[in-house]
Amino acid sequence: MSVELPFAPVDSIIRRNAGGLRVSAEATEELTRRIQSRGAELAVDAAAQADNDGRKTLMAADFGVENVPEKDALEVPIAPVDRIARLEIDDRYRVAMDARIALASILEDEGDDIAAAAASLAKHAGRRTIKAADVEVYFQLQQYVE
Protein backbone atom coordinates (compact mmCIF):
# COMPACT_ATOMS: atom_id res chain seq x y z
CA MET A 1 0.00 0.00 0.00
CA SER A 2 1.45 3.33 -1.03
CA VAL A 3 1.39 6.18 1.44
CA GLU A 4 -1.14 8.77 0.29
CA LEU A 5 -1.24 10.89 3.44
CA PRO A 6 1.53 13.49 3.76
CA PHE A 7 3.76 13.17 6.81
CA ALA A 8 3.59 16.86 7.84
CA PRO A 9 0.02 16.90 9.20
CA VAL A 10 0.58 13.62 11.03
CA ASP A 11 3.78 15.04 12.48
CA SER A 12 1.74 18.00 13.78
CA ILE A 13 -0.72 15.59 15.38
CA ILE A 14 1.97 13.56 17.11
CA ARG A 15 3.84 16.69 18.26
CA ARG A 16 0.74 18.26 19.82
CA ASN A 17 0.46 15.11 21.94
CA ALA A 18 4.17 14.75 22.67
CA GLY A 19 4.16 16.83 25.83
CA GLY A 20 7.65 18.19 25.30
CA LEU A 21 9.11 14.97 23.96
CA ARG A 22 10.97 14.82 20.68
CA VAL A 23 9.44 12.87 17.81
CA SER A 24 11.46 10.66 15.49
CA ALA A 25 10.74 10.75 11.77
CA GLU A 26 10.17 7.00 11.93
CA ALA A 27 7.41 7.49 14.53
CA THR A 28 5.67 9.96 12.24
CA GLU A 29 6.00 7.57 9.29
CA GLU A 30 4.64 4.64 11.31
CA LEU A 31 1.68 6.65 12.57
CA THR A 32 0.98 7.86 9.03
CA ARG A 33 0.94 4.29 7.70
CA ARG A 34 -1.31 3.12 10.53
CA ILE A 35 -3.76 6.00 10.11
CA GLN A 36 -3.93 5.43 6.37
CA SER A 37 -4.51 1.71 6.81
CA ARG A 38 -7.29 2.42 9.30
CA GLY A 39 -8.90 4.85 6.88
CA ALA A 40 -8.94 2.23 4.12
CA GLU A 41 -10.54 -0.29 6.54
CA LEU A 42 -13.21 2.20 7.55
CA ALA A 43 -13.97 2.94 3.89
CA VAL A 44 -14.54 -0.78 3.20
CA ASP A 45 -17.07 -0.89 6.04
CA ALA A 46 -18.69 2.35 4.80
CA ALA A 47 -18.96 0.91 1.27
CA ALA A 48 -20.73 -2.14 2.67
CA GLN A 49 -23.17 0.17 4.46
CA ALA A 50 -23.78 2.14 1.25
CA ASP A 51 -24.37 -1.16 -0.59
CA ASN A 52 -26.92 -2.18 2.03
CA ASP A 53 -28.72 1.12 1.45
CA GLY A 54 -28.52 0.73 -2.35
CA ARG A 55 -26.15 3.67 -2.84
CA LYS A 56 -22.87 4.12 -4.68
CA THR A 57 -21.92 7.25 -2.76
CA LEU A 58 -20.32 7.02 0.67
CA MET A 59 -21.85 9.47 3.12
CA ALA A 60 -20.73 10.68 6.54
CA ALA A 61 -23.36 8.50 8.19
CA ASP A 62 -21.70 5.44 6.63
CA PHE A 63 -18.69 6.26 8.83
CA GLY A 64 -20.92 6.69 11.89
CA VAL A 65 -20.55 10.49 11.93
CA GLU A 66 -23.66 12.59 12.40
CA ASN A 67 -22.10 15.99 13.02
CA VAL A 68 -19.44 16.69 10.43
CA PRO A 69 -16.86 19.24 11.66
CA GLU A 70 -15.62 22.16 9.61
CA LYS A 71 -12.81 20.99 7.34
CA ASP A 72 -10.69 24.03 8.30
CA ALA A 73 -10.68 22.78 11.90
CA LEU A 74 -8.82 19.62 10.90
CA GLU A 75 -5.11 19.03 10.58
CA VAL A 76 -5.56 16.11 8.18
CA PRO A 77 -6.01 17.34 4.59
CA ILE A 78 -9.13 16.23 2.74
CA ALA A 79 -7.69 15.42 -0.73
CA PRO A 80 -5.46 12.56 0.45
CA VAL A 81 -8.32 11.22 2.58
CA ASP A 82 -10.34 10.78 -0.61
CA ARG A 83 -7.50 8.71 -2.09
CA ILE A 84 -7.17 6.73 1.15
CA ALA A 85 -10.89 5.95 1.10
CA ARG A 86 -10.51 4.54 -2.42
CA LEU A 87 -7.49 2.32 -1.69
CA GLU A 88 -9.49 -0.80 -0.87
CA ILE A 89 -12.90 -0.12 -2.42
CA ASP A 90 -14.25 -0.51 -5.92
CA ASP A 91 -14.01 2.44 -8.36
CA ARG A 92 -17.78 2.44 -8.74
CA TYR A 93 -18.11 4.26 -5.40
CA ARG A 94 -18.05 7.99 -4.96
CA VAL A 95 -17.01 9.60 -1.69
CA ALA A 96 -19.11 12.63 -0.79
CA MET A 97 -17.32 15.67 0.60
CA ASP A 98 -18.98 15.29 3.99
CA ALA A 99 -17.79 11.66 4.06
CA ARG A 100 -14.22 12.76 3.34
CA ILE A 101 -14.36 15.31 6.13
CA ALA A 102 -15.94 12.77 8.48
CA LEU A 103 -13.22 10.22 7.71
CA ALA A 104 -10.49 12.85 8.17
CA SER A 105 -12.02 13.73 11.55
CA ILE A 106 -12.09 10.09 12.64
CA LEU A 107 -8.49 9.56 11.55
CA GLU A 108 -7.33 12.70 13.32
CA ASP A 109 -9.09 11.69 16.54
CA GLU A 110 -7.58 8.22 16.39
CA GLY A 111 -4.20 9.73 15.55
CA ASP A 112 -4.44 11.91 18.66
CA ASP A 113 -5.23 8.87 20.81
CA ILE A 114 -2.36 6.85 19.36
CA ALA A 115 0.09 9.74 19.63
CA ALA A 116 -0.83 10.38 23.28
CA ALA A 117 -0.38 6.70 24.08
CA ALA A 118 2.95 6.59 22.23
CA ALA A 119 4.13 9.59 24.27
CA SER A 120 3.16 7.77 27.47
CA LEU A 121 5.04 4.68 26.34
CA ALA A 122 8.16 6.72 25.56
CA LYS A 123 8.00 8.39 28.98
CA HIS A 124 7.47 5.02 30.65
CA ALA A 125 10.57 3.73 28.86
CA GLY A 126 12.53 6.70 30.22
CA ARG A 127 13.14 8.20 26.79
CA ARG A 128 12.82 11.78 25.63
CA THR A 129 11.96 10.75 22.07
CA ILE A 130 8.86 9.05 20.70
CA LYS A 131 9.96 6.25 18.38
CA ALA A 132 8.19 4.08 15.82
CA ALA A 133 8.38 1.24 18.35
CA ASP A 134 6.08 3.22 20.67
CA VAL A 135 3.43 3.38 17.95
CA GLU A 136 3.92 -0.32 17.20
CA VAL A 137 3.62 -1.26 20.89
CA TYR A 138 0.35 0.69 21.09
CA PHE A 139 -1.11 -1.54 18.38
CA GLN A 140 0.29 -4.68 19.98
CA LEU A 141 -1.38 -3.72 23.24
CA GLN A 142 -4.67 -2.97 21.47
CA GLN A 143 -5.07 -6.58 20.44
CA TYR A 144 -5.33 -7.48 24.13
CA VAL A 145 -7.89 -4.77 24.81
CA GLU A 146 -10.27 -5.76 22.01
Side-chain angles (χ1 to χ4, degrees):
M1 176 185 296
S2 65
V3 177
E4 299 290 336
L5 190 61
F7 294 138
V10 178
D11 189 61
S12 294
I13 291 169
I14 198 167
R15 287 182 188 283
R16 76 178 174 212
N17 288 281
L21 297 175
R22 292 177 284 187
V23 178
S24 73
E26 293 79 15
T28 298
E29 291 173 20
E30 183 66 22
L31 183 56
T32 302
R33 279 191 289 278
R34 298 288 186 143
I35 288 173
Q36 178 171 299
S37 177
R38 177 70 173 141
E41 289 173 13
L42 291 170
V44 169
D45 293 342
Q49 180 63 41
D51 267 347
N52 290 340
D53 293 345
R55 292 181 283 107
K56 293 183 181 177
T57 301
L58 305 185
M59 308 300 285
D62 297 327
F63 291 98
V65 175
E66 292 182 23
N67 297 320
V68 179
E70 293 292 321
K71 69 179 181 179
D72 295 336
L74 299 173
E75 192 74 43
V76 174
I78 304 307
V81 170
D82 181 50
R83 292 190 301 271
I84 290 167
R86 298 170 189 275
L87 286 173
E88 301 291 330
I89 62 173
D90 195 311
D91 284 343
R92 66 187 167 112
Y93 293 102
R94 293 181 299 273
V95 183
M97 180 56 80
D98 69 332
R100 295 175 204 170
I101 297 169
L103 181 55
S105 174
I106 292 167
L107 297 179
E108 188 163 327
D109 287 347
E110 290 185 9
D112 277 326
D113 292 345
I114 297 163
S120 293
L121 289 166
K123 287 177 188 173
H124 181 74
R127 285 186 275 104
R128 293 179 18 198
T129 303
I130 300 170
K131 296 183 175 186
D134 299 316
V135 175
E136 292 167 3
V137 167
Y138 169 84
F139 283 96
Q140 290 171 354
L141 293 171
Q142 285 304 302
Q143 65 184 322
Y144 296 109
V145 174
E146 296 173 350

